[in-house]
Amino acid sequence: MKTPSRIEPLVADGLVDGVLRQLMSGKEAMVYVVQCGDEIRCAKVYKEANKRGFHTAVDYTEGRKVKNSRQARAMAKRSRYGREEQEAAWQHAEVDALRRLAAAGVRVPEPYQFHEGVLLMELVADEDGEPAPRLNDLALSEEEALAYHAALIREVVRMLCAGIVHGDLSEYNVLVDGNGPVIIDLPQAVDAAANNNAKRMLERDVDNLASYFGQFAPVLLGTRYGPEIWSLYETGALHPESVLTGHFEEAARDVDLDEVMQVIDAAKDEDAERRARQEAARLEELGGD
């Protein structure tokens, strides 16, 4: 096929020999199958911010590191330079996340190069060498659903142990090769320790998995892996091989009687002051008469 203009710089630099076909078009990028020497790889071409369906919401960018204070100020002011830097940071976030997760043993595509807004990475393939299908495109038995769900929960745990929450995990960004699920699409990944929304996002990711696999294995619909995983993480007890049950009950908070009495006393004081003000105003009004 004709080489897309965004990939032409990679061809000129010898990183890509040719574009074989378009693989998919998503809310944030176009993905192509490309020839790189003797290997077949993927080229992910990020869409411009105004053409994306997934925007750089503050919920996702909170806690991300920037290169310097000038960049931070420009991004905060939303200047032209700031918008360009924010866009670059958004794209680099996926590259950084893929590298960290691959090093942690998480099943993600291996990233090779990031050049001119294009990410060259591993083509996740099935047993016949064809691009692996998305999880959403598969009809699963109950046994397969339970196995894939267990595998993905384990990957979520490994990701969190590496300090990362996917933030948009669902059946649409999981591929399935001959060895099971592979997680893709990570530009919105968040830093678990630096982002105040990380807990909510992790629980949403896990709930998405339960809802999808629960169509094939209804027993999963009642599980609570998200709160269980986060509770272990918060207490420093989470590790890649942590034993999970899928059951979790919120710990009952002990009643602090001293705190309750302080609240009651404060309310009484406030009421007494209000009454005193009313009485003073009444007397002043009578004196005026």
Side-chain angles (χ1 to χ4, degrees):
M1 65 174 286
K2 181 181 178 181
T3 303
S5 59
R6 294 280 300 281
I7 298 182
E8 288 177 354
L10 282 76
V11 174
D13 290 347
L15 298 174
V16 170
D17 294 321
V19 179
L20 303 181
R21 64 185 176 92
Q22 180 180 318
L23 181 59
M24 64 168 290
S25 176
K27 55 192 173 185
E28 76 232 5
M30 303 276 286
V31 181
Y32 298 89
V33 179
V34 297
Q35 186 80 43
C36 301
D38 296 330
E39 296 187 13
I40 305 296
R41 295 179 176 174
C42 278
K44 184 170 185 175
V45 181
Y46 292 94
K47 294 180 180 179
E48 296 176 6
N50 60 354
K51 297 180 181 178
R52 282 202 310 261
F54 200 114
H55 300 288
T56 54
V58 67
D59 284 0
Y60 293 90
T61 55
E62 178 185 304
R64 287 187 178 175
K65 296 179 180 179
V66 295
K67 290 183 292 187
N68 52 54
S69 57
R70 175 172 177 261
Q71 183 192 44
R73 288 194 301 271
M75 290 170 69
K77 291 180 180 178
R78 300 288 297 164
S79 65
R80 179 178 177 181
Y81 167 73
R83 291 194 298 271
E84 291 173 353
E85 288 298 302
Q86 187 173 41
E87 183 66 13
W90 177 258
Q91 296 173 6
H92 278 284
E94 178 162 34
V95 184
D96 295 339
L98 286 172
R99 287 172 177 161
R100 285 174 60 183
L101 294 176
V106 179
R107 298 203 74 215
V108 294
E110 181 181 355
Y112 297 120
Q113 281 110 4
F114 181 68
H115 187 73
E116 300 286 339
V118 179
L119 172 60
L120 278 179
M121 59 183 174
E122 172 191 6
L123 172 67
V124 180
D126 63 16
E127 295 175 343
D128 298 321
E130 293 297 316
R134 289 190 307 180
L135 178 60
N136 183 61
D137 295 326
L138 300 178
L140 304 177
S141 67
E142 181 177 5
E143 183 180 5
E144 288 172 327
L146 290 170
Y148 287 165
H149 178 266
L152 282 167
I153 289 295
R154 187 55 53 194
E155 295 297 87
V156 168
V157 169
R158 289 195 183 99
M159 290 176 69
L160 188 53
C161 288
I164 292 176
V165 173
H166 188 287
D168 189 36
L169 187 59
S170 73
E171 65 272 23
Y172 298 103
N173 41 40
V174 174
L175 302 179
V176 181
D177 67 10
N179 295 313
V182 179
I183 294 173
I184 61 171
D185 294 340
L186 288 135
Q188 72 292 319
V190 302
D191 186 315
N195 191 307
N196 291 321
N197 304 291
K199 177 179 184 292
R200 175 174 57 83
M201 291 181 182
L202 178 124
E203 292 184 1
R204 185 180 63 195
D205 284 351
V206 174
D207 286 346
N208 286 344
L209 296 178
S211 296
Y212 178 72
F213 287 113
Q215 300 174 82
F216 311 100
V219 68
L220 295 174
L221 296 174
T223 56
R224 300 196 67 205
Y225 283 102
E228 182 183 14
I229 292 169
W230 190 264
S231 177
L232 291 171
Y233 171 73
E234 275 191 319
T235 59
L238 187 70
H239 56 82
E241 303 306 322
S242 289
V243 177
L244 303 174
T245 66
H247 303 290
F248 182 78
E249 292 185 8
E250 302 289 346
R253 184 182 176 189
D254 293 334
V255 176
D256 188 332
L257 292 178
D258 289 338
E259 181 180 348
V260 172
M261 292 307 298
Q262 288 173 8
V263 171
I264 292 174
D265 290 342
K268 287 181 178 179
D269 291 342
E270 184 178 345
D271 183 62
E273 290 175 2
R274 179 178 59 81
R275 290 176 181 274
R277 288 195 300 271
Q278 289 176 339
E279 180 63 15
R282 187 180 69 82
L283 292 174
E284 183 178 351
E285 183 176 349
L286 289 174
D289 293 339

